[in-house]
Amino acid sequence: LVELLHSKNIYIIGRISTFQDPYLTKLKPEWAIKRLSDGGVWKDRKGLSFLDPTNKSLHSYILSIARNSYALGFDELNFDYIRYPSDGNMKDINYNLVSGKTRADNMEAFFKYLSEEIKKEENIPISGDVFGLTTEVNNDMGIGQVWEKALPYFDYLCPMVYPSHYPAGHAGYKNPAAYPYEVINRALISAVAKNNSINQDIAKIRPWLQDFDMGGTYTKEMVRAQIKAVYDNKLDSWMLWDPSNKYTPSALKLDTIN
């Protein structure tokens, strides 16, 4: 498959689900985030478990997965779920924090480790997925993601600026999903400003855009409006997401694709 895609001049990104990994937590429950109440494996409202971002053995495992994926022929490695849990019984989570360290500090330590180790042998391109709100807020939202603490360690930072994922009332919109251009334009203006504030190239910003029906039926015009917001902020890279992998070809310029 890799050979076929490369023969079509397709750039292949391998997505690695990093800290949300119910399979590994079953094999290695000692690596999982635990409940405060009884020390058992904590699960979110969907019944999914997370790995402890401070676990050094886990760091080595993730690095191994990444290196082997690159060796298989992926052109870039994309790290998703690089965060603490965001929903469920949050009061019953044992964050295993060392005195003086925050969740954001722990995530930054992992980002630093990953970047330094993965770049030792080859300049392997890496990207990280973060919540869309990281471009606008000044805290870690309880999940350990802070834009300025992640950006320096990735070649691309990919905020998931899906309009449907912003809360009602965001930027004054009752239903943000109905305003794809406005919501994403606002998010990217803030992202560019944050990059500039720490002297990071804005070309490192590569947002995930919405091509799925949530908060409304997403038409080709709504997908194109998001893409326009990217270009209007002098960015030239973006990705589309639909969890069912059913995309809208009519929203894209396909004349250059053979």
Side-chain angles (χ1 to χ4, degrees), residues 1 60 65 83 101 105 148 171 205 222 248:
L1 178 59
S60 299
I65 292 288
R83 61 175 176 82
K101 295 290 185 180
D105 291 334
E148 294 87 342
I205 303 170
M222 295 175 83
T248 310

Side-chain angles (χ1 to χ4, degrees), residues 13-30:
I13 302 174
R15 173 182 170 272
I16 298 173
S17 182
T18 308
F19 295 123
Q20 181 182 281
D21 191 338
Y23 175 78
L24 188 56
T25 57
K26 287 182 180 179
L27 294 179
K28 292 278 190 181
E30 66 273 20

Side-chain angles (χ1 to χ4, degrees), residues 13 76-79 125-129 154-158 206:
I13 302 174
E76 175 186 320
L77 304 176
N78 170 258
F79 295 87
I126 60 173
S127 56
D129 296 338
F154 291 96
D155 297 291
Y156 304 99
L157 203 55
C158 311
R206 189 178 65 198

Side-chain angles (χ1 to χ4, degrees), residues 161-180:
V161 290
Y162 312 129
S164 64
H165 283 37
Y166 286 82
H170 177 75
Y173 300 118
K174 184 177 180 180
N175 178 22
Y179 299 89

Side-chain angles (χ1 to χ4, degrees), residues 51-137:
L51 296 157
D52 181 357
T54 66
N55 187 294
K56 302 299 183 184
S57 296
L58 174 61
H59 291 185
S60 299
Y61 169 83
I62 294 168
L63 180 64
S64 176
I65 292 288
R67 282 177 171 159
N68 279 279
S69 299
Y70 188 72
L72 288 173
F74 290 95
D75 300 298
E76 175 186 320
L77 304 176
N78 170 258
F79 295 87
D80 198 5
Y81 287 97
I82 45 176
R83 61 175 176 82
Y84 283 91
S86 61
D87 62 77
N89 186 358
M90 311 301 287
K91 294 181 180 179
D92 198 25
I93 294 180
N94 181 359
Y95 286 106
N96 197 26
L97 295 177
V98 176
S99 179
K101 295 290 185 180
T102 66
R103 279 164 278 189
D105 291 334
N106 288 342
M107 292 310 311
E108 183 178 23
F110 169 73
F111 300 151
K112 186 174 187 292
Y113 164 85
L114 182 67
S115 179
E116 289 178 351
E117 292 298 320
I118 209 165
K119 301 283 188 179
K120 276 184 177 178
E121 298 176 9
E122 296 183 70
N123 187 27
I124 300 174
I126 60 173
S127 56
D129 296 338
V130 293
F131 275 18
L133 276 171
T134 59
T135 71
E136 298 182 53
V137 301

